[in-house]
Amino acid sequence: MQFGGESAAFRSRVAAQDTVFSNCVGGPVKLPAEAPAGTPELIRGDRQYQTVAAYFSAGSYPEALARFLRITQEDASPWRTISRYLVLRTLLRMQADGVQSEAESVLADAKLEAIHGMTWNLLRRAGILTRDQAYFPELGRLVSSKGQGDGFREELWSYAGMYDHVIGQADPNTAYKPAHPPAADASLFRDPDVTDCVFRFQSRGVEFGYCVERWRATRSVAWLIAALEQANAAGARRAGLYEAAAGVPAASPGYLTVRFHLLRLLEEGGNREQAREGLDAVLGSGALQGLPSRVNLFRRLRMLVAVDFRDFLQFAIRRPVLVTLQIDADEAPDFLMDLKPAAGTAELFDSDATQVLNRETPYRYLKQAAVGGELPAVLEREALMTAFTRGLMLGEDLTAIARKMGKMEPGLRALTGAYLQANDREGKRFAAGFLLLHRPEARPYYATGIVRQAPAGKMDPYRVNWWCPMSVEGALDSRANWEWGADLSVPGPVAAGKRFSTRARRRITWVGLCSSMRRRVAMMRECRRRFTGW
């Protein structure tokens, strides 16, 4: 910062900007005070720009237009370029003639490249280029060029929106697919090269050969990434993609993406030791600093090449990047910007880990996760309750789990003590079931992400109380269960252990507690009979 936060120049600038913003609520124009004597030239020039902005914000457009035009003629002004764009905005507000001709003049001037993207977006909002068939490819060329400056964000925003509009229901990545989606017209995306690359990249594996051809023709890292995204291990090896990916330098903007796919293909091809070494190198370097989403992606891949179950658990844990709702309305929804994760949710399981734990992991490993002391406190409590509930359904001995639950949660000591003191199998089953009735958070499978917000032992006012069968997709935590596909790689330590028997899998998958009110009422009546005698 050129001027300190306590300097007179900085304070003067902030006060003037407050005056500018005060014009947004209507009323007569309020102008910032003149810059104090002795103020640096930069601040005096900034005050001139702030004064014009005050006229614009107050709706005094003719005066604002004249002053913006004056600034565009001042070679020494750092606001000269942006004022040229604001001339356009003012003309548009005035509904005056000459918007398109002025915009074309801006777009034809290479010295004004920093505001080209803003100008394109302004024209779109004005409706001048919305129906122009050349607009989409021109916007693509703009996005892929250099020197857009501050306009790039708006350019990319408009490009993504226009892309979605052009592809429509043929988008293979849309969240809500029609019953019979139309085929996309590839000719609409052929030009420019960046649009062709995006279209093929998102085509879900059907464009591998085309992407390889384009990569060979261009030697572009972007086309290499598109080919890697489409590739399986065998296809990548035949096409020479392993060697190409290994040769991308760390300084390349595409390095981490290429590296991720190279290590993914090594894992898929059975080279787990080599993949593990590469993943440990990336995760141990500074390359992922400030990139929490990429950290999670690399940790996911590292989880799949774990050397043992403890190693699997270590990398199954992720730190959430964004808190959002099921509707997932935006990349960072405005209505969730103030939402903070509940206390203790810094580290959680993602859906890939819960799928392996819920459907592929032998009970002895789930018990190890619960009592081994290797999980963060919040996950450890969930692991204990999950292993306890599942163990009851499978007829397992719950002694070790009950002891630890009683130590961790004083409110459960009487209930876990009843289990530990029971003398026969039936008594233990009854005590365990009675404990579950006091814990609506109980379920025989792990949930994904932030799910239940009610405190332990309290009914949640929404619907996350006890559990539904894992086959029910309508449950709030259904993402932990139904996002299941045959392409999920099962980590070696889990695959090497004894997997679920068919009987055990059927019991966990199809039996729910909250789905049968009759079963719950019958159990509560039995509890009352045993403890009250009537």
Side-chain angles (χ1 to χ4, degrees), residues 26 51-52 63 89 186 217 241 264 284 333 336 339 392 421 431 457 500 504 533:
T51 300
V52 187
E63 183 67 25
R89 286 194 63 185
L241 299 185
R264 171 184 66 81
L336 289 174
L339 179 61
L392 173 61
Q421 293 168 16
F500 274 158

Side-chain angles (χ1 to χ4, degrees), residues 487-510:
D487 59 339
L488 180 71
S489 178
V490 178
V494 176
K498 183 180 179 182
R499 306 271 278 277
F500 274 158
S501 68
T502 303
R503 178 172 172 267
R505 183 187 296 273
R506 185 181 300 116
R507 184 177 299 180
I508 297 299
T509 302
W510 296 105

